[in-house]
Amino acid sequence: MVNRFIRDEKDNSIKHQYQNYSDNKTDHSSENIIITPWEVHGDFEDENYSKLIEKFGTQHISLDLINKIKKITGEVHPLIKFRYFFSHRDLDWILNKYENGEQFYLYTGRGPSGLVHMGHLLPWIFTKYLQEKFNSKLIFQITDDEKFLYNMNFDRNRIKNYVLENILDVIAIGFNPELTKIIVDTEHIKSLYPIAIEIAKKITFSTAKSVFGFNNMTNIGMIGFPPIQAAPCFLPTVLENKPTPVLIPAAIDQDPYWRITRDVAEKLGYYKPAQIHSKFLPGLSNLTKMSSSKPETAIFTTDEPEVVRKKVMSSFTGGQPTVELQKKLGANPDICPVFWYLKYFFDTEKKSIERFYRCRSGNLLCGECKNELANESVIFIKDFKKRREKARDKIAEFMFESR
Ligand code: TYM
């Protein structure tokens, strides 16, 4: 298996494409999957996620591991049960550490390239849950440098505005202010830089090219950026003054960063960071990742209720072209973003299973699901917006203090 690069027509940059060339035959189901931390393309059906596990060299979340989580926390979160979080690295190791009395930090983040949509919220909602269950400290990194360097049309003021807007979303999630610190790279670089240069010194350009798809046209700011996102993996060890395990909940697109971080960790005397990887929440137009660059297919936390309703009602579904055919043949919830949203945000397990079978058997029409999703999303976003507003007074409380 080798990695292949393809050129993105939008911005002329080189993307990494994972393909299996081992027997010279193209693997069609994963052919169009492209994943870098900056671009994600492809249809993400379950089968393709399993292939990603093989290609990225991560682990399935096994039943044994689920039982271990249950033993420690007394329950299994629906996002694990439903396999939205589907893959990991060293989750078993970090749980062993916890059982032996070693507290771990959580680390996650946001690249402020726009407003926040519901896809971004899922890893953060799950991180909040982990924080509550394990009483973990959390470092939340905002990579304003990354997004400035990557987006050729963005000036610093635009990014600064997104930093503020995104911080409101992070606080609105409900993290514990006593355990959570937000790092904005350009403001807190003093605390990251000493660690970042240790990491940078151990990574060759050749490795960076093969992991991230950099080429001669990539600006050198981007080439130098990955150690800045890697640094918070080791910051807890510096802050606590003892080796401190770190668990990163994020979608699988961020994995290239953790691969290089894990490669250098032990050489530098740190624990390798553990990860738990999620799938992507699809956009409302199909099963590709929800993306800010297609605003009509993403529900933003700042959208007005009528806009949310309109987007949901215009969503793609797994339905048949006519009501008659749907009643006769049933529909396909596996490829339906409306089903996914209801499942991961609003339905109970029981309700989701019932919905699945009613949909498959033709006893449920898409209009009904869309209506339910529109109603639930409107309530959710209205409430979230109130919490965002309250967050304005709490920013100082959440910000990291450089040392
Ligand atoms: P960003 O801003 O692209 O994404 C923020 C978080 O949301 C996840 N994500 C999604 N999850 C589900 N469905 C989607 N459609 C979707 N789109 C994005 C991402 O995986 C991420 O967890 N470079 C990072 C910022 C960062 C970071 C980190 C992220 C810095 N340190 C540590 C995770 C962990 C970025 O641009 O994320």
Side-chain angles (χ1 to χ4, degrees), residues 116 121 124-125 165-166 168-174 300-302 377-391:
V116 159
L121 298 185
W124 303 345
I125 289 169
E165 291 297 327
N166 293 179
L168 298 180
D169 291 295
V170 174
I171 297 174
I173 294 284
F300 293 93
T301 59
T302 44
S377 305
V378 165
I379 295 169
F380 177 84
I381 295 288
K382 272 189 183 164
D383 178 58
F384 199 82
K385 277 172 127 164
K386 280 191 205 146
R387 287 192 271 141
R388 271 184 111 252
E389 280 316 301
K390 288 194 190 137

Side-chain angles (χ1 to χ4, degrees), residues 37-38 84 107-113 117-124 139-143 146-147 166 185 225 228-229 232 248-254 257-258 278-283 288-291:
W38 310 289
Y84 185 75
Y107 162 42
T108 197
R110 161 72 179 148
S113 59
H117 58 61
M118 283 176 78
H120 299 123
L121 298 185
L122 279 180
W124 303 345
I139 292 183
F140 195 106
Q141 181 184 38
I142 309 245
T143 50
E146 176 192 28
K147 294 304 164 175
N166 293 179
D185 285 351
F225 170 75
I228 304 285
Q229 181 155 329
I248 308 171
I252 189 109
D253 59 337
Q254 299 300 310
Y257 287 115
W258 322 133
S278 80
K279 298 178 179 173
F280 302 113
L281 192 71
T288 56
K289 170 181 172 264
M290 177 174 272
S291 162

Side-chain angles (χ1 to χ4, degrees), residues 229-266:
Q229 181 155 329
C233 299
F234 304 149
L235 184 60
T237 294
V238 174
L239 297 176
E240 302 292 329
N241 207 14
K242 62 174 185 205
T244 305
V246 169
L247 174 64
I248 308 171
I252 189 109
D253 59 337
Q254 299 300 310
D255 191 67
Y257 287 115
W258 322 133
R259 264 178 262 156
I260 53 151
T261 315
R262 287 171 61 84
D263 275 356
V264 303
E266 284 171 347

